[in-house]
Amino acid sequence: MDIRVGDVLTMKKPHPCGSRDWEVLRVGADFRLRCRGCGHEVMGPRAKFERNVRAVARGEEV
């Protein structure tokens, strides 16, 4: 999956704040994501996040 820094990922399940959109801050073996609703940041394995992605929007399109 082609995911770059600055992309916005729409996930299958919502964050507890209600937002499904996450901004990509770091890519590699792990992803660092920031919730677009509340600003909470999480870091986790790439494989886990890629399974839960519904859509990818490029940073300049959002």
Side-chain angles (χ1 to χ4, degrees):
M1 190 175 279
D2 182 32
I3 297 175
R4 303 179 205 154
V5 173
D7 289 353
V8 176
L9 307 179
T10 302
M11 303 302 243
K12 291 180 183 177
K13 292 186 177 182
H15 188 246
C17 73
S19 176
R20 291 177 186 266
D21 296 331
W22 294 80
E23 181 180 354
V24 179
L25 303 176
R26 178 182 178 273
V27 294
D30 295 328
F31 280 162
R32 180 181 277 293
L33 305 176
R34 178 185 298 138
C35 178
R36 300 273 299 218
C38 65
H40 182 77
E41 291 186 13
V42 296
M43 189 165 180
R46 181 183 195 109
K48 179 181 176 188
F49 288 124
E50 283 186 345
R51 270 195 311 265
N52 296 316
V53 172
R54 274 261 163 93
V56 177
R58 294 286 172 230
E60 58 272 1
E61 295 174 5
V62 176

Short mmCIF file of all heavy atoms in Angstrom, two decimals:
data_model
loop_
_atom_site.label_atom_id
_atom_site.label_comp_id
_atom_site.label_asym_id
_atom_site.label_seq_id
_atom_site.Cartn_x
_atom_site.Cartn_y
_atom_site.Cartn_z
N MET A 1 0.84 -1.18 0.00
CA MET A 1 0.00 0.00 0.00
C MET A 1 0.89 1.24 0.00
O MET A 1 1.83 1.33 0.77
CB MET A 1 -0.89 -0.04 1.25
CG MET A 1 -1.97 1.00 1.25
SD MET A 1 -3.09 0.85 2.65
CE MET A 1 -4.16 -0.44 2.08
N ASP A 2 0.58 2.19 -0.88
CA ASP A 2 1.39 3.39 -1.01
C ASP A 2 0.84 4.48 -0.09
O ASP A 2 -0.10 5.19 -0.44
CB ASP A 2 1.38 3.87 -2.46
CG ASP A 2 2.25 5.09 -2.67
OD1 ASP A 2 3.27 5.22 -1.97
OD2 ASP A 2 1.90 5.91 -3.54
N ILE A 3 1.44 4.61 1.09
CA ILE A 3 1.05 5.62 2.06
C ILE A 3 2.26 6.49 2.33
O ILE A 3 3.35 5.99 2.58
CB ILE A 3 0.53 4.96 3.35
CG1 ILE A 3 -0.73 4.15 3.04
CG2 ILE A 3 0.25 6.01 4.41
CD1 ILE A 3 -1.26 3.37 4.21
N ARG A 4 2.06 7.81 2.28
CA ARG A 4 3.15 8.77 2.48
C ARG A 4 2.82 9.72 3.62
O ARG A 4 1.66 9.86 4.02
CB ARG A 4 3.34 9.60 1.22
CG ARG A 4 3.61 8.77 -0.01
CD ARG A 4 3.77 9.68 -1.21
NE ARG A 4 3.42 8.92 -2.41
CZ ARG A 4 2.98 9.46 -3.51
NH1 ARG A 4 2.84 10.76 -3.61
NH2 ARG A 4 2.68 8.72 -4.56
N VAL A 5 3.86 10.39 4.11
CA VAL A 5 3.67 11.41 5.15
C VAL A 5 2.77 12.50 4.59
O VAL A 5 2.94 12.94 3.46
CB VAL A 5 5.03 11.99 5.59
CG1 VAL A 5 4.82 13.16 6.54
CG2 VAL A 5 5.87 10.91 6.25
N GLY A 6 1.78 12.92 5.37
CA GLY A 6 0.85 13.95 4.95
C GLY A 6 -0.47 13.42 4.42
O GLY A 6 -1.43 14.17 4.29
N ASP A 7 -0.54 12.13 4.10
CA ASP A 7 -1.79 11.52 3.65
C ASP A 7 -2.79 11.48 4.80
O ASP A 7 -2.43 11.49 5.97
CB ASP A 7 -1.57 10.09 3.16
CG ASP A 7 -0.81 10.02 1.85
OD1 ASP A 7 -0.57 11.08 1.25
OD2 ASP A 7 -0.46 8.90 1.44
N VAL A 8 -4.06 11.43 4.44
CA VAL A 8 -5.13 11.28 5.43
C VAL A 8 -5.78 9.92 5.19
O VAL A 8 -6.24 9.62 4.09
CB VAL A 8 -6.17 12.41 5.32
CG1 VAL A 8 -7.31 12.17 6.29
CG2 VAL A 8 -5.51 13.75 5.59
N LEU A 9 -5.77 9.08 6.23
CA LEU A 9 -6.34 7.74 6.15
C LEU A 9 -7.73 7.75 6.77
O LEU A 9 -7.93 8.29 7.85
CB LEU A 9 -5.47 6.75 6.91
CG LEU A 9 -3.99 6.71 6.56
CD1 LEU A 9 -3.29 5.68 7.43
CD2 LEU A 9 -3.79 6.39 5.10
N THR A 10 -8.70 7.15 6.09
CA THR A 10 -10.02 6.94 6.64
C THR A 10 -10.06 5.49 7.10
O THR A 10 -9.86 4.57 6.29
CB THR A 10 -11.11 7.21 5.60
OG1 THR A 10 -10.97 8.56 5.14
CG2 THR A 10 -12.50 7.03 6.19
N MET A 11 -10.29 5.28 8.39
CA MET A 11 -10.26 3.94 8.97
C MET A 11 -11.65 3.31 9.02
O MET A 11 -12.67 4.00 8.89
CB MET A 11 -9.68 4.01 10.39
CG MET A 11 -8.31 4.63 10.43
SD MET A 11 -7.13 3.77 9.42
CE MET A 11 -5.99 3.22 10.62
N LYS A 12 -11.70 1.99 9.21
CA LYS A 12 -12.97 1.27 9.31
C LYS A 12 -13.72 1.64 10.58
O LYS A 12 -14.93 1.84 10.55
CB LYS A 12 -12.72 -0.23 9.29
CG LYS A 12 -12.24 -0.76 7.96
CD LYS A 12 -12.01 -2.24 8.00
CE LYS A 12 -11.46 -2.75 6.68
NZ LYS A 12 -11.16 -4.17 6.73
N LYS A 13 -13.01 1.69 11.70
CA LYS A 13 -13.66 1.98 12.98
C LYS A 13 -13.33 3.40 13.42
O LYS A 13 -12.21 3.86 13.25
CB LYS A 13 -13.19 1.01 14.06
CG LYS A 13 -13.64 -0.41 13.83
CD LYS A 13 -13.25 -1.28 15.00
CE LYS A 13 -13.77 -2.69 14.81
NZ LYS A 13 -13.46 -3.53 15.96
N PRO A 14 -14.29 4.09 14.03
CA PRO A 14 -14.02 5.46 14.49
C PRO A 14 -13.21 5.48 15.78
O PRO A 14 -13.25 4.54 16.59
CB PRO A 14 -15.41 6.04 14.72
CG PRO A 14 -16.26 4.86 15.03
CD PRO A 14 -15.68 3.72 14.21
N HIS A 15 -12.48 6.57 15.97
CA HIS A 15 -11.79 6.84 17.22
C HIS A 15 -12.87 7.18 18.26
O HIS A 15 -13.97 7.58 17.88
CB HIS A 15 -10.84 8.03 16.99
CG HIS A 15 -9.92 8.33 18.11
ND1 HIS A 15 -10.01 9.48 18.84
CD2 HIS A 15 -8.89 7.62 18.64
CE1 HIS A 15 -9.06 9.48 19.77
NE2 HIS A 15 -8.38 8.36 19.67
N PRO A 16 -12.62 7.03 19.55
CA PRO A 16 -13.64 7.37 20.55
C PRO A 16 -14.18 8.80 20.43
O PRO A 16 -15.31 9.07 20.85
CB PRO A 16 -12.92 7.17 21.88
CG PRO A 16 -11.94 6.09 21.59
CD PRO A 16 -11.47 6.37 20.18
N CYS A 17 -13.42 9.72 19.83
CA CYS A 17 -13.92 11.09 19.65
C CYS A 17 -14.94 11.17 18.52
O CYS A 17 -15.62 12.18 18.37
CB CYS A 17 -12.77 12.06 19.39
SG CYS A 17 -12.04 11.92 17.75
N GLY A 18 -15.05 10.11 17.70
CA GLY A 18 -16.03 10.07 16.61
C GLY A 18 -15.44 10.22 15.22
O GLY A 18 -16.10 9.95 14.24
N SER A 19 -14.19 10.64 15.12
CA SER A 19 -13.55 10.85 13.82
C SER A 19 -12.97 9.54 13.28
O SER A 19 -12.44 8.73 14.03
CB SER A 19 -12.44 11.89 13.95
OG SER A 19 -11.75 12.02 12.73
N ARG A 20 -13.05 9.36 11.97
CA ARG A 20 -12.44 8.19 11.31
C ARG A 20 -11.17 8.58 10.56
O ARG A 20 -10.50 7.73 10.01
CB ARG A 20 -13.42 7.58 10.31
CG ARG A 20 -14.61 6.92 10.91
CD ARG A 20 -15.53 6.41 9.81
NE ARG A 20 -16.75 5.89 10.36
CZ ARG A 20 -16.94 4.61 10.64
NH1 ARG A 20 -16.00 3.74 10.40
NH2 ARG A 20 -18.08 4.21 11.15
N ASP A 21 -10.86 9.87 10.50
CA ASP A 21 -9.74 10.36 9.70
C ASP A 21 -8.49 10.56 10.54
O ASP A 21 -8.53 11.14 11.62
CB ASP A 21 -10.11 11.68 9.02
CG ASP A 21 -11.24 11.51 8.03
OD1 ASP A 21 -11.37 10.41 7.47
OD2 ASP A 21 -11.99 12.48 7.81
N TRP A 22 -7.36 10.07 10.01
CA TRP A 22 -6.06 10.15 10.68
C TRP A 22 -5.04 10.69 9.70
O TRP A 22 -4.99 10.27 8.54
CB TRP A 22 -5.61 8.76 11.14
CG TRP A 22 -6.48 8.18 12.20
CD1 TRP A 22 -7.69 7.56 12.03
CD2 TRP A 22 -6.21 8.15 13.60
NE1 TRP A 22 -8.18 7.16 13.24
CE2 TRP A 22 -7.29 7.50 14.22
CE3 TRP A 22 -5.16 8.62 14.38
CZ2 TRP A 22 -7.35 7.31 15.59
CZ3 TRP A 22 -5.21 8.43 15.74
CH2 TRP A 22 -6.29 7.78 16.33
N GLU A 23 -4.19 11.60 10.15
CA GLU A 23 -3.11 12.15 9.34
C GLU A 23 -1.83 11.36 9.60
O GLU A 23 -1.49 11.08 10.75
CB GLU A 23 -2.89 13.62 9.71
CG GLU A 23 -1.81 14.28 8.89
CD GLU A 23 -1.60 15.73 9.28
OE1 GLU A 23 -2.37 16.25 10.10
OE2 GLU A 23 -0.66 16.32 8.74
N VAL A 24 -1.10 11.01 8.54
CA VAL A 24 0.14 10.25 8.66
C VAL A 24 1.29 11.21 8.98
O VAL A 24 1.54 12.15 8.23
CB VAL A 24 0.45 9.48 7.36
CG1 VAL A 24 1.74 8.71 7.49
CG2 VAL A 24 -0.70 8.55 7.01
N LEU A 25 1.98 10.96 10.10
CA LEU A 25 3.10 11.79 10.52
C LEU A 25 4.44 11.12 10.25
O LEU A 25 5.45 11.80 10.10
CB LEU A 25 3.00 12.12 12.01
CG LEU A 25 1.72 12.81 12.47
CD1 LEU A 25 1.74 12.97 13.97
CD2 LEU A 25 1.57 14.15 11.78
N ARG A 26 4.46 9.78 10.23
CA ARG A 26 5.71 9.03 10.05
C ARG A 26 5.38 7.70 9.39
O ARG A 26 4.37 7.10 9.71
CB ARG A 26 6.35 8.79 11.41
CG ARG A 26 7.63 7.98 11.36
CD ARG A 26 8.16 7.78 12.80
NE ARG A 26 9.36 6.98 12.81
CZ ARG A 26 9.38 5.65 12.85
NH1 ARG A 26 8.27 4.96 12.86
NH2 ARG A 26 10.53 5.00 12.88
N VAL A 27 6.23 7.26 8.46
CA VAL A 27 6.06 5.94 7.84
C VAL A 27 7.36 5.16 7.95
O VAL A 27 8.43 5.73 8.14
CB VAL A 27 5.65 6.04 6.35
CG1 VAL A 27 4.28 6.63 6.21
CG2 VAL A 27 6.65 6.83 5.55
N GLY A 28 7.26 3.88 7.85
CA GLY A 28 8.39 2.96 7.97
C GLY A 28 7.82 1.62 8.37
O GLY A 28 6.73 1.24 7.95
N ALA A 29 8.52 0.89 9.23
CA ALA A 29 7.98 -0.35 9.76
C ALA A 29 6.79 -0.05 10.67
O ALA A 29 5.88 -0.86 10.83
CB ALA A 29 9.04 -1.11 10.54
N ASP A 30 6.80 1.16 11.27
CA ASP A 30 5.71 1.63 12.12
C ASP A 30 5.12 2.89 11.50
O ASP A 30 5.78 3.59 10.74
CB ASP A 30 6.22 2.00 13.52
CG ASP A 30 6.74 0.81 14.29
OD1 ASP A 30 6.21 -0.30 14.10
OD2 ASP A 30 7.67 0.98 15.09
N PHE A 31 3.86 3.16 11.84
CA PHE A 31 3.20 4.41 11.45
C PHE A 31 2.99 5.24 12.69
O PHE A 31 2.73 4.72 13.76
CB PHE A 31 1.81 4.14 10.87
CG PHE A 31 1.78 3.71 9.43
CD1 PHE A 31 0.65 3.10 8.92
CD2 PHE A 31 2.85 3.91 8.58
CE1 PHE A 31 0.59 2.70 7.60
CE2 PHE A 31 2.80 3.51 7.26
CZ PHE A 31 1.66 2.90 6.77
N ARG A 32 3.11 6.56 12.55
CA ARG A 32 2.66 7.48 13.59
C ARG A 32 1.52 8.26 12.96
O ARG A 32 1.68 8.86 11.90
CB ARG A 32 3.76 8.43 14.05
CG ARG A 32 3.24 9.38 15.15
CD ARG A 32 4.27 10.36 15.64
NE ARG A 32 5.18 9.89 16.65
CZ ARG A 32 4.85 9.55 17.90
NH1 ARG A 32 3.61 9.57 18.28
NH2 ARG A 32 5.78 9.19 18.75
N LEU A 33 0.35 8.23 13.61
CA LEU A 33 -0.84 8.87 13.10
C LEU A 33 -1.40 9.87 14.10
O LEU A 33 -1.26 9.67 15.31
CB LEU A 33 -1.93 7.82 12.81
CG LEU A 33 -1.56 6.66 11.90
CD1 LEU A 33 -2.72 5.67 11.82
CD2 LEU A 33 -1.19 7.14 10.51
N ARG A 34 -2.04 10.93 13.58
CA ARG A 34 -2.70 11.92 14.44
C ARG A 34 -4.18 11.97 14.05
O ARG A 34 -4.52 12.13 12.88
CB ARG A 34 -2.10 13.31 14.25
CG ARG A 34 -2.82 14.36 15.11
CD ARG A 34 -2.33 15.78 14.87
NE ARG A 34 -0.93 15.89 15.23
CZ ARG A 34 -0.03 16.56 14.51
NH1 ARG A 34 -0.37 17.15 13.38
NH2 ARG A 34 1.21 16.62 14.90
N CYS A 35 -5.05 11.83 15.04
CA CYS A 35 -6.49 11.91 14.82
C CYS A 35 -6.85 13.31 14.36
O CYS A 35 -6.42 14.30 14.97
CB CYS A 35 -7.23 11.56 16.10
SG CYS A 35 -9.03 11.68 15.94
N ARG A 36 -7.64 13.42 13.29
CA ARG A 36 -8.04 14.73 12.77
C ARG A 36 -9.15 15.35 13.61
O ARG A 36 -9.44 16.53 13.48
CB ARG A 36 -8.52 14.59 11.32
CG ARG A 36 -7.50 14.04 10.36
CD ARG A 36 -6.63 15.08 9.77
NE ARG A 36 -7.43 16.03 9.01
CZ ARG A 36 -7.07 16.56 7.89
NH1 ARG A 36 -5.94 16.25 7.34
NH2 ARG A 36 -7.84 17.44 7.28
N GLY A 37 -9.77 14.55 14.49
CA GLY A 37 -10.85 15.08 15.32
C GLY A 37 -10.34 15.72 16.59
O GLY A 37 -10.67 16.86 16.91
N CYS A 38 -9.49 14.99 17.34
CA CYS A 38 -9.08 15.47 18.67
C CYS A 38 -7.57 15.73 18.79
O CYS A 38 -7.13 16.28 19.78
CB CYS A 38 -9.51 14.48 19.74
SG CYS A 38 -8.70 12.87 19.63
N GLY A 39 -6.78 15.29 17.80
CA GLY A 39 -5.35 15.55 17.84
C GLY A 39 -4.53 14.48 18.55
O GLY A 39 -3.32 14.61 18.67
N HIS A 40 -5.18 13.41 19.02
CA HIS A 40 -4.46 12.33 19.71
C HIS A 40 -3.51 11.64 18.74
O HIS A 40 -3.86 11.40 17.58
CB HIS A 40 -5.48 11.33 20.26
CG HIS A 40 -4.87 10.20 21.02
ND1 HIS A 40 -4.40 10.36 22.30
CD2 HIS A 40 -4.63 8.91 20.69
CE1 HIS A 40 -3.92 9.19 22.73
NE2 HIS A 40 -4.04 8.31 21.76
N GLU A 41 -2.28 11.35 19.19
CA GLU A 41 -1.29 10.68 18.35
C GLU A 41 -1.06 9.25 18.82
O GLU A 41 -0.98 9.00 20.03
CB GLU A 41 0.03 11.44 18.36
CG GLU A 41 -0.06 12.77 17.65
CD GLU A 41 1.29 13.46 17.53
OE1 GLU A 41 2.33 12.83 17.76
OE2 GLU A 41 1.27 14.66 17.20
N VAL A 42 -0.97 8.33 17.87
CA VAL A 42 -0.69 6.93 18.17
C VAL A 42 0.41 6.44 17.24
O VAL A 42 0.61 6.97 16.15
CB VAL A 42 -1.93 6.03 18.01
CG1 VAL A 42 -3.00 6.41 19.01
CG2 VAL A 42 -2.48 6.07 16.61
N MET A 43 1.13 5.44 17.71
CA MET A 43 2.16 4.81 16.90
C MET A 43 1.98 3.31 17.00
O MET A 43 1.71 2.79 18.09
CB MET A 43 3.54 5.22 17.40
CG MET A 43 4.65 4.81 16.50
SD MET A 43 6.14 5.70 16.96
CE MET A 43 7.25 5.04 15.76
N GLY A 44 2.08 2.62 15.86
CA GLY A 44 1.90 1.18 15.87
C GLY A 44 2.43 0.55 14.60
O GLY A 44 2.87 1.25 13.68
N PRO A 45 2.39 -0.78 14.56
CA PRO A 45 2.94 -1.50 13.40
C PRO A 45 2.16 -1.23 12.12
O PRO A 45 0.93 -1.12 12.12
CB PRO A 45 2.84 -2.97 13.81
CG PRO A 45 1.87 -3.00 14.93
CD PRO A 45 1.86 -1.66 15.57
N ARG A 46 2.91 -1.11 11.04
CA ARG A 46 2.34 -0.83 9.72
C ARG A 46 1.25 -1.83 9.33
O ARG A 46 0.19 -1.45 8.85
CB ARG A 46 3.48 -0.84 8.69
CG ARG A 46 3.06 -0.54 7.30
CD ARG A 46 4.26 -0.66 6.35
NE ARG A 46 3.92 -0.04 5.10
CZ ARG A 46 4.42 1.10 4.66
NH1 ARG A 46 5.31 1.74 5.37
NH2 ARG A 46 4.04 1.59 3.52
N ALA A 47 1.50 -3.11 9.55
CA ALA A 47 0.56 -4.15 9.15
C ALA A 47 -0.80 -3.98 9.82
O ALA A 47 -1.84 -4.16 9.19
CB ALA A 47 1.14 -5.53 9.47
N LYS A 48 -0.80 -3.61 11.09
CA LYS A 48 -2.06 -3.43 11.82
C LYS A 48 -2.88 -2.29 11.23
O LYS A 48 -4.08 -2.41 11.03
CB LYS A 48 -1.77 -3.16 13.29
CG LYS A 48 -3.01 -2.93 14.12
CD LYS A 48 -2.67 -2.64 15.55
CE LYS A 48 -3.94 -2.31 16.33
NZ LYS A 48 -3.63 -1.84 17.67
N PHE A 49 -2.23 -1.15 10.96
CA PHE A 49 -2.96 -0.01 10.43
C PHE A 49 -3.41 -0.24 8.99
O PHE A 49 -4.50 0.16 8.61
CB PHE A 49 -2.11 1.26 10.53
CG PHE A 49 -1.96 1.77 11.94
CD1 PHE A 49 -0.70 1.97 12.48
CD2 PHE A 49 -3.05 2.05 12.71
CE1 PHE A 49 -0.55 2.45 13.77
CE2 PHE A 49 -2.92 2.52 14.00
CZ PHE A 49 -1.66 2.71 14.54
N GLU A 50 -2.58 -0.88 8.17
CA GLU A 50 -2.95 -1.11 6.77
C GLU A 50 -4.19 -1.99 6.65
O GLU A 50 -4.97 -1.83 5.73
CB GLU A 50 -1.78 -1.72 5.99
CG GLU A 50 -0.72 -0.72 5.64
CD GLU A 50 0.36 -1.29 4.74
OE1 GLU A 50 0.46 -2.52 4.61
OE2 GLU A 50 1.12 -0.48 4.18
N ARG A 51 -4.38 -2.91 7.58
CA ARG A 51 -5.58 -3.77 7.57
C ARG A 51 -6.86 -2.97 7.80
O ARG A 51 -7.93 -3.36 7.34
CB ARG A 51 -5.49 -4.82 8.68
CG ARG A 51 -4.84 -6.10 8.29
CD ARG A 51 -5.13 -7.19 9.30
NE ARG A 51 -4.88 -6.79 10.68
CZ ARG A 51 -3.76 -7.01 11.36
NH1 ARG A 51 -2.76 -7.63 10.78
NH2 ARG A 51 -3.64 -6.63 12.60
N ASN A 52 -6.76 -1.87 8.55
CA ASN A 52 -7.94 -1.12 8.94
C ASN A 52 -8.23 0.11 8.09
O ASN A 52 -9.16 0.85 8.38
CB ASN A 52 -7.80 -0.69 10.41
CG ASN A 52 -7.78 -1.89 11.32
OD1 ASN A 52 -8.56 -2.81 11.16
ND2 ASN A 52 -6.86 -1.90 12.27
N VAL A 53 -7.47 0.32 7.00
CA VAL A 53 -7.66 1.50 6.15
C VAL A 53 -8.80 1.27 5.17
O VAL A 53 -8.87 0.24 4.50
CB VAL A 53 -6.36 1.83 5.39
CG1 VAL A 53 -6.60 2.91 4.36
CG2 VAL A 53 -5.28 2.23 6.36
N ARG A 54 -9.71 2.23 5.08
CA ARG A 54 -10.78 2.21 4.07
C ARG A 54 -10.39 3.00 2.84
O ARG A 54 -10.64 2.58 1.73
CB ARG A 54 -12.05 2.87 4.65
CG ARG A 54 -12.94 2.01 5.42
CD ARG A 54 -14.13 1.53 4.58
NE ARG A 54 -14.73 0.39 5.23
CZ ARG A 54 -15.73 0.46 6.08
NH1 ARG A 54 -16.29 1.61 6.34
NH2 ARG A 54 -16.19 -0.63 6.64
N ALA A 55 -9.81 4.21 3.06
CA ALA A 55 -9.46 5.07 1.93
C ALA A 55 -8.23 5.90 2.27
O ALA A 55 -7.97 6.16 3.45
CB ALA A 55 -10.62 6.01 1.61
N VAL A 56 -7.49 6.29 1.23
CA VAL A 56 -6.31 7.13 1.40
C VAL A 56 -6.52 8.38 0.56
O VAL A 56 -6.81 8.30 -0.63
CB VAL A 56 -5.02 6.40 0.91
CG1 VAL A 56 -3.82 7.32 1.04
CG2 VAL A 56 -4.81 5.12 1.68
N ALA A 57 -6.38 9.55 1.20
CA ALA A 57 -6.47 10.83 0.49
C ALA A 57 -5.11 11.50 0.59
O ALA A 57 -4.52 11.58 1.67
CB ALA A 57 -7.54 11.73 1.10
N ARG A 58 -4.59 11.95 -0.53
CA ARG A 58 -3.31 12.64 -0.53
C ARG A 58 -3.45 13.96 0.20
O ARG A 58 -4.50 14.59 0.15
CB ARG A 58 -2.82 12.90 -1.97
CG ARG A 58 -2.50 11.63 -2.70
CD ARG A 58 -1.19 11.03 -2.19
NE ARG A 58 -0.99 9.72 -2.77
CZ ARG A 58 -0.70 8.65 -2.06
NH1 ARG A 58 -0.55 8.71 -0.76
NH2 ARG A 58 -0.53 7.48 -2.63
N GLY A 59 -2.38 14.40 0.85
CA GLY A 59 -2.40 15.61 1.65
C GLY A 59 -2.91 16.85 0.92
O GLY A 59 -3.66 17.63 1.48
N GLU A 60 -2.54 17.05 -0.34
CA GLU A 60 -2.96 18.24 -1.07
C GLU A 60 -4.42 18.17 -1.52
O GLU A 60 -5.02 19.17 -1.85
CB GLU A 60 -2.05 18.51 -2.27
CG GLU A 60 -1.97 17.39 -3.28
CD GLU A 60 -0.89 16.34 -2.97
OE1 GLU A 60 -0.20 16.48 -1.96
OE2 GLU A 60 -0.77 15.41 -3.75
N GLU A 61 -5.03 16.98 -1.51
CA GLU A 61 -6.43 16.82 -1.92
C GLU A 61 -7.40 17.14 -0.81
O GLU A 61 -8.56 17.38 -1.03
CB GLU A 61 -6.69 15.38 -2.39
CG GLU A 61 -5.92 15.01 -3.62
CD GLU A 61 -6.08 13.55 -3.99
OE1 GLU A 61 -6.86 12.86 -3.33
OE2 GLU A 61 -5.41 13.11 -4.93
N VAL A 62 -6.92 17.10 0.45
CA VAL A 62 -7.82 17.23 1.60
C VAL A 62 -8.10 18.67 1.92
O VAL A 62 -7.42 19.57 1.70
CB VAL A 62 -7.22 16.51 2.81
CG1 VAL A 62 -8.09 16.71 4.04
CG2 VAL A 62 -7.05 15.06 2.50
#
